[in-house]
Amino acid sequence: GILNCLDLETGARIWSKDIIKDNQAKVNGWGMAGSPLVVDQKVIVNAGGPNDHSLVAYDAATGNFVWGGGNTGADYSSPLLVTLAGVRQILIFAGRVSAHDVDSGKVLWDYPWPGGHPHIAIPVLLPGDRVLIRSGYGTGSELLQIKKDADGKWSATRIWKSIRLKAKFTNVVYRDGFIYGLDDGILVCLDAADGTLKWKEGRYGHGQVILTGSLLLVTAESGEMVLVAQ
């Protein structure tokens, strides 16, 4: 839970913050695994503290506290900057799926998610203000439609739910209307429109998948690297 700012040229420490102590939080069973997000001269981390200190922002230059928002404990995912309904916001998958205002940290909208297991995989933004959430442990995936009405009220509504993509650790790839990812270690392709399974093939364990050109580059849990045609 120690957040350090280091000089790029020398590695000397410029400032340091104990985000656990500062935010009355606690260290998770597998440590504080989320990556910091740097945006608008702020460093944003999932501290997991109570009293609007779940997601917190520090000044990138000084380490001074800037804002906090939300009351959900920390998990193992990382904050992500997205634009939904024309508004920049920060998504965090920690117990619930929450979106925070970039400038104030205020929670704009949130969506419940099953508990009892770690939440790791980063939410994925799809065209049309849609957000894909998924986790392992038998939970699966959901695609959400995010909207902001004329009165400024936000909503997150489920479009579909599927048990066909239980991504425990891995991020997923979206391309041309299809979603590719590891379903408990097996590579799958889902139709993004309705979540139906298009194909399932290849056992790679809990590795990672990235898109390179028109190919999927899969790093398997065994250490192998595989190029897969979509």
Side-chain angles (χ1 to χ4, degrees):
I2 305 300
L3 177 64
N4 289 320
C5 172
L6 307 181
D7 183 272
L8 183 61
E9 298 298 328
T10 67
R13 187 167 61 184
I14 298 173
W15 56 260
S16 181
K17 293 290 179 178
D18 184 337
I19 67 170
I20 303 300
K21 181 179 179 181
D22 285 356
N23 300 286
Q24 294 78 54
K26 62 179 182 179
V27 178
N28 285 331
W30 288 280
M32 306 302 286
S35 299
L37 171 68
V38 179
V39 56
D40 295 347
Q41 292 77 53
K42 294 185 287 287
V43 181
I44 298 161
V45 292
N46 182 206
N51 303 315
D52 290 327
H53 280 68
S54 175
L55 193 72
V56 296
Y58 295 92
D59 184 277
T62 66
N64 292 334
F65 183 85
V66 178
W67 55 246
N71 297 288
T72 306
D75 236 307
Y76 305 100
S77 191
S78 300
L80 175 70
L81 179 67
V82 301
T83 299
L84 292 164
V87 177
R88 289 198 316 159
Q89 49 201 273
I90 301 165
L91 297 185
I92 184 66
F93 185 26
R96 306 171 68 85
V97 185
S98 302
H100 295 250
D101 181 80
V102 175
D103 296 321
S104 68
K106 176 185 175 182
V107 176
L108 301 176
W109 58 268
D110 68 359
Y111 187 82
W113 196 258
H117 64 272
H119 303 92
I120 304 169
I122 296 174
V124 173
L125 185 66
L126 271 64
D129 296 326
R130 297 176 296 167
V131 176
L132 179 68
I133 313 297
R134 64 258 179 251
S135 62
Y137 306 91
T139 300
S141 306
E142 294 189 30
L143 184 65
L144 308 181
Q145 180 68 62
I146 311 302
K147 293 183 178 179
K148 181 183 180 184
D149 65 21
D151 296 324
K153 183 178 180 181
W154 290 87
S155 63
T157 306
R158 187 172 73 193
I159 300 173
W160 53 255
K161 180 178 181 179
S162 174
I163 199 66
R164 298 293 190 178
L165 180 54
K166 301 176 291 295
K168 187 175 182 179
F169 296 109
T170 182
N171 295 325
V172 302
V173 167
Y174 169 81
R175 184 174 188 265
D176 296 339
F178 296 97
I179 298 163
Y180 305 89
L182 293 172
D183 173 42
D184 272 342
I186 304 176
L187 188 62
V188 300
C189 172
L190 304 186
D191 189 322
D194 56 14
T196 55
L197 179 68
K198 305 306 291 185
W199 54 258
K200 183 174 185 176
E201 185 176 349
R203 295 180 178 272
Y204 302 106
H206 297 294
Q208 286 291 346
V209 181
I210 62 173
L211 180 68
T212 172
S214 62
L215 299 175
L216 299 172
L217 179 61
V218 182
T219 304
E221 196 170 3
S222 64
E224 296 177 296
M225 297 187 70
V226 183
L227 277 175
V228 181
Q230 299 171 51

